[in-house]
Amino acid sequence: MLLFRGTRNETFIIKSRLSGGASPNAPILFNNAVGPVPAGCESTPLGFAILVNDEALLDMLLNKYAADPSLPVQLPHPLAFTPLHLAAALGRATMVAKLLANGANPNTPIAAKTTGPTSPRQPAPTGNAPPLPPPSVVPANLQRTMVGDTALHIAIDAAGSAPVVKALLASPATNADAPNGRGRTPAYKAVKRANRACWEALLGAKAAGRVDLNRGRVIFAAIQVRLCTCKLS
């Protein structure tokens, strides 16, 4: 594992270590906070590039150093994000396309993290102050993201991003009807979240025969959304 203390430009350090023969898949431990990466956070170089939205670093890792886009990014989180899951959660459509072009599997469901820390280091309280909660590792709304979700589910639930949905559907390998751990399809998610842009992106795949609206309880999601709307009106 590489150890960075945050005293120099982290991207430069990553490049220098890789040039010296370090593995592009080895996790990095950041002793100090770096942009959205909290202190005490562990991440692979690909995970770091996605978190800080550095497309040049992502390109270099994938194309020059052949970083593996299928390996978990090792973030201290209960879910074992792959680079594609992370890019989808953060709404990074261009990065999603680059990862797919380099062999990322769009249908891999997110799993529970089984090794390593599942939360970042807790900040030390000052004086008699109560303990501080651990910082957020992934700056996205992950309340609905669960084990079994694919990148398409995550793009809709966490990012609400139609561009990411379109980037995923641009790959013929993407199963647009893949059920998650609860049997919900991406179409169900788009209807349940009342996300018209994501729904319309999926309808484009329906025209090509890739989306079956009779699967994944889509009609029940529509009824639930309609009932909620009626109650509020």
Side-chain angles (χ1 to χ4, degrees), residues 65-78:
Y65 293 103
D68 190 339
S70 67
L71 295 177
V73 297
Q74 300 297 334
L75 288 172
H77 191 277

Side-chain angles (χ1 to χ4, degrees), residues 68-71 82 84-85 99-109 150-152 168 171 173-175:
D68 190 339
S70 67
L71 295 177
T82 66
L84 192 64
H85 294 143
L99 290 164
L100 290 170
N102 282 272
N105 185 343
N107 304 314
T108 299
T150 68
L152 262 180
L168 287 163
S171 169
T174 299
N175 181 357

